[in-house]
Amino acid sequence: MSKELDAYLSRLPQRVTDNIFLIWRSKYQQDDNLLSMEDLENSLNLNPVGLPSRLSETAKFSSPLIYNQVMRECILCTHKSLAILRSIVRDLSSGQQTYSDVSAYLANMLMGRAICLFLGIWFSPCKVNNDYYLIDLFFKKPTGYESRAFNIKNFRMNHEVLWKLFIELMKNTQGSHITPQIISFISTVKPSDFALHRNHLQYSYHNWTFDDLCKDDEVGCEWFTEYQFNLALDFQNFSSHANKLLLLELLNFFIELFKPIAVMPELKHHLELFEENLNSFKNWI
């Protein structure tokens, strides 16, 4: 990990969900064509004014459309996760339990990104003017929140670092939506835990978890129907379906965050689609 990102994470300021809701409602501009607007990365490449240099490392940053652009990418990440979720439901209904956990890992990663974006953290997937950047929309100062950009030089976010960022961000977020179960989970899970089953399957010649390699297995659902919604997930046990259950939790958590700001018609529309997919997942059996 780069020292620049380490430095940012070491002083990641506390944020409060109620304050974030207020800022989203005041800064987001109604846009029926939100998903068609220019992405933030391209905007920054075309107009990098205000981004900090490698020497200065960080600077207060503002852009007229940045809140809409971050919200757009938050919503797109969620829809991408839901598209994968629908394929997971089809696989589970057909008795394909093994590889659907790999799909669930990818869907979880997208939901992790969506939650980070909602909580104000955007990072460039590709270089902007030869450097990578992280932008924090809700960087807390004594005078209130400000948007601030960080130059993280040549460091590109990989999967494990994304999970580290997600964990640290959740640890530094307060509000009624941050339940004791979430606090317990993020206090014990390691960034490397999330991909254990995916790596176990992807990077070996022979590893496979359930009896569905050569033909579909019987549809099993006890792991789902008996789940207590307590985030007591065992990533070390590859037959525990931990990634699928985490997807259920992350989607539910994100929807609860999204509801208070879904006051514009287009945001209400996306919320309805999110809830529809969550209900389909809850009732896939």
Side-chain angles (χ1 to χ4, degrees):
M1 188 181 302
S2 73
K3 66 178 182 179
E4 292 78 23
L5 187 59
D6 263 337
Y8 168 74
L9 291 177
S10 68
R11 58 193 180 103
L12 184 66
Q14 287 277 350
R15 58 201 69 207
V16 179
T17 53
D18 284 349
N19 294 337
I20 289 173
F21 300 153
L22 290 173
I23 297 172
W24 274 124
R25 287 199 292 262
S26 66
K27 297 287 188 180
Y28 175 79
Q29 301 172 43
Q30 196 271 331
D31 185 355
D32 291 337
N33 298 307
L34 176 67
L35 298 191
S36 300
M37 75 180 302
E38 184 176 49
D39 62 87
L40 180 54
E41 181 185 343
N42 192 54
S43 292
L44 295 176
N45 271 307
L46 292 173
N47 183 21
V49 175
L51 289 175
S53 66
R54 289 193 176 196
L55 187 62
S56 60
E57 294 186 352
T58 183
K60 184 177 179 179
F61 181 78
S62 63
S63 173
L65 296 175
I66 191 169
Y67 288 91
N68 277 44
Q69 289 172 312
V70 170
M71 178 55 66
R72 169 189 182 267
E73 296 182 11
C74 171
I75 290 171
L76 283 172
C77 278
T78 306
H79 280 302
K80 288 168 72 173
S81 180
L82 294 177
I84 298 170
L85 171 59
R86 292 192 294 274
S87 75
I88 292 169
V89 169
R90 290 192 293 269
D91 281 347
L92 289 174
S93 301
S94 300
Q96 279 289 327
Q97 300 186 86
T98 302
Y99 205 78
S100 56
D101 218 51
V102 178
S103 300
Y105 168 75
L106 178 56
N108 284 332
M109 188 182 68
L110 289 163
M111 284 310 309
R113 283 186 178 184
I115 291 168
C116 287
L117 288 162
F118 186 90
L119 295 176
I121 306 297
W122 178 92
F123 55 85
S124 53
C126 298
K127 285 187 175 182
V128 174
N129 273 10
N130 299 316
D131 286 325
Y132 290 101
Y133 287 90
L134 181 149
I135 296 176
D136 187 345
L137 294 184
F138 308 127
F139 193 83
K140 190 137 184 344
K141 304 284 283 186
T143 54
Y145 291 98
E146 70 176 23
S147 57
R148 178 162 285 270
F150 296 81
N151 185 316
I152 53 177
K153 301 179 182 176
N154 285 317
F155 186 77
R156 184 179 183 181
M157 290 276 188
N158 58 34
H159 287 212
E160 189 166 332
V161 177
L162 168 65
W163 287 118
K164 180 176 176 61
L165 174 64
F166 172 79
I167 291 169
E168 293 303 315
L169 182 57
M170 292 295 294
K171 285 180 179 178
N172 286 278
T173 301
Q174 300 175 341
S176 58
H177 296 80
I178 312 300
T179 64
Q181 291 83 4
I182 291 175
I183 293 171
S184 175
F185 175 70
I186 61 175
S187 298
T188 56
V189 71
K190 299 175 183 176
S192 59
D193 288 345
F194 296 96
L196 285 174
H197 192 200
R198 173 248 196 185
N199 294 344
H200 175 76
L201 294 170
Q202 296 269 91
Y203 302 122
S204 77
Y205 291 109
H206 58 276
N207 291 335
W208 201 254
T209 308
F210 299 101
D211 190 21
D212 54 10
L213 180 60
C214 298
K215 61 179 182 178
D216 293 345
D217 197 2
E218 293 182 9
V219 177
C221 59
E222 294 83 5
W223 60 272
F224 192 84
T225 56
E226 296 176 3
Y227 180 60
Q228 300 296 311
F229 290 87
N230 54 10
L231 276 167
L233 306 175
D234 185 1
F235 291 99
Q236 305 282 341
N237 177 4
F238 296 148
S239 61
S240 70
H241 302 270
N243 281 300
K244 304 183 194 83
L245 294 171
L246 178 61
L247 180 54
L248 181 67
E249 293 277 11
L250 290 182
L251 180 54
N252 188 69
F253 174 67
F254 176 77
I255 287 173
E256 291 304 310
L257 288 178
F258 195 80
K259 279 181 182 177
I261 70 150
V263 294
M264 299 294 185
E266 68 274 17
L267 298 186
K268 287 181 179 179
H269 171 68
H270 291 297
L271 175 61
E272 290 170 0
L273 293 175
F274 299 160
E275 291 177 325
E276 179 182 316
N277 279 270
L278 176 60
N279 289 332
S280 294
F281 190 21
K282 287 181 176 179
N283 297 289
W284 71 267
I285 300 165

